[in-house]
Amino acid sequence: MAAFTPGARQVSAIKAMIFLLGLIPVAKMAYLTVSGQLVEPLEHITRGTGDWTLYFLCITLAVTPLRRLSGWNWLVKLRREVGLFAFFYAFLHFMTFLWFDHFFDLAAMWKDVVKRPFITVGFIAFVLLIPLAATSTNAMIRALGGKRWQWLHRLIYLIAPLGILHFWWMKAAKHNFQEPIIFGAIVALLLGMRLYWKLRKPARAAMPARAGDPLT
């Protein structure tokens, strides 16, 4: 059975759809805030931007497993856009913390980062996302070289667990671990699949090649 392979126009249409869908959460948050429909707008925005950061991180991590399981190699073309949305919502999450919690008082913000562990790990995760977003262009891939670029972007394997830990500690105050457990299970599964394929690779390399065997 032939794998589904969309043309360039279809991929562009899918990217446009992802872009529009990716903006819906922030548009909804802005509308609810401006219209005064939220009892606690700061909490809603903080929670919403944090949740959507994790959603997009999980979707980004899911691209490679979906590509390998489905044979739809064109999915890789969508990963950059999804990853940039993860950074976009992480940036909004951080700006909510810096603006509304500390009114751009960098000294007070830094004191909070150092003092409170759940903010520390969240801040580290955000800082690690910055070079990934900054090097997402084709020009930066060429400048860094393919291998160096790939090694840099493997930081997402650290960023995602840090994001889960940030969420876990934030929920610990309310003894509500259901959502962090779900996010953690998804990230563990997606990273576990990568580890499984990596461990299988030497064994597959030692076997004689057969016609039609994938190289990766």
Side-chain angles (χ1 to χ4, degrees):
M1 183 177 176
F4 170 62
T5 307
R9 287 187 178 180
Q10 289 174 302
V11 171
S12 296
I14 294 171
K15 286 183 176 181
M17 183 176 64
I18 291 173
F19 181 78
L20 292 175
L21 291 174
L23 291 177
I24 289 175
V26 68
K28 183 179 179 181
M29 283 183 268
Y31 170 74
L32 292 175
T33 301
V34 172
S35 62
Q37 297 184 44
L38 298 174
V39 177
E40 296 184 12
L42 176 57
E43 181 179 349
H44 180 81
I45 294 172
T46 302
R47 170 68 186 276
T49 53
D51 284 354
W52 279 99
T53 300
L54 290 176
Y55 292 146
F56 279 110
L57 280 175
C58 289
I59 296 170
T60 304
L61 287 172
V63 169
T64 293
L66 284 175
R67 176 185 65 80
R68 293 194 60 156
L69 293 173
S70 66
W72 294 358
N73 293 325
W74 59 271
L75 288 173
V76 173
K77 298 178 181 179
L78 309 178
R79 184 166 53 193
R80 178 187 303 176
E81 186 172 16
V82 176
L84 285 173
F85 265 116
F87 175 75
F88 171 68
Y89 279 99
F91 176 75
L92 292 180
H93 189 66
F94 172 72
M95 287 305 297
T96 302
F97 167 69
L98 177 60
W99 185 356
F100 296 105
D101 277 2
H102 297 93
F103 301 99
F104 294 102
D105 186 336
L106 296 179
M109 182 210 73
W110 182 248
K111 188 181 294 184
D112 217 8
V113 168
V114 173
K115 184 179 178 180
R116 304 167 74 182
F118 88 93
I119 295 179
T120 305
V121 295
F123 182 75
I124 292 171
F126 172 67
V127 169
L128 292 177
L129 268 174
I130 294 173
L132 271 62
T135 58
S136 63
T137 64
N138 290 332
M140 287 303 301
I141 295 173
R142 289 191 296 269
L144 289 172
K147 284 191 175 182
R148 283 194 292 269
W149 185 88
Q150 285 182 345
W151 274 106
L152 175 64
H153 280 250
R154 284 173 183 167
L155 283 173
I156 194 172
Y157 303 154
L158 174 61
I159 292 166
L162 286 174
I164 301 299
L165 182 58
H166 169 70
F167 193 30
W168 178 281
W169 276 343
M170 187 181 71
K171 287 290 188 177
K174 299 180 180 179
H175 302 284
N176 182 6
F177 298 105
Q178 182 177 356
E179 289 176 289
I181 288 173
I182 293 172
F183 275 116
I186 293 171
V187 169
L189 174 64
L190 295 173
L191 295 183
M193 292 172 75
R194 284 172 165 78
L195 180 61
Y196 171 72
W197 285 323
K198 184 175 180 61
L199 293 176
R200 279 187 63 203
K201 198 170 183 180
R204 287 174 61 86
M207 295 173 61
R210 297 179 300 175
D213 274 353
L215 296 178
T216 58

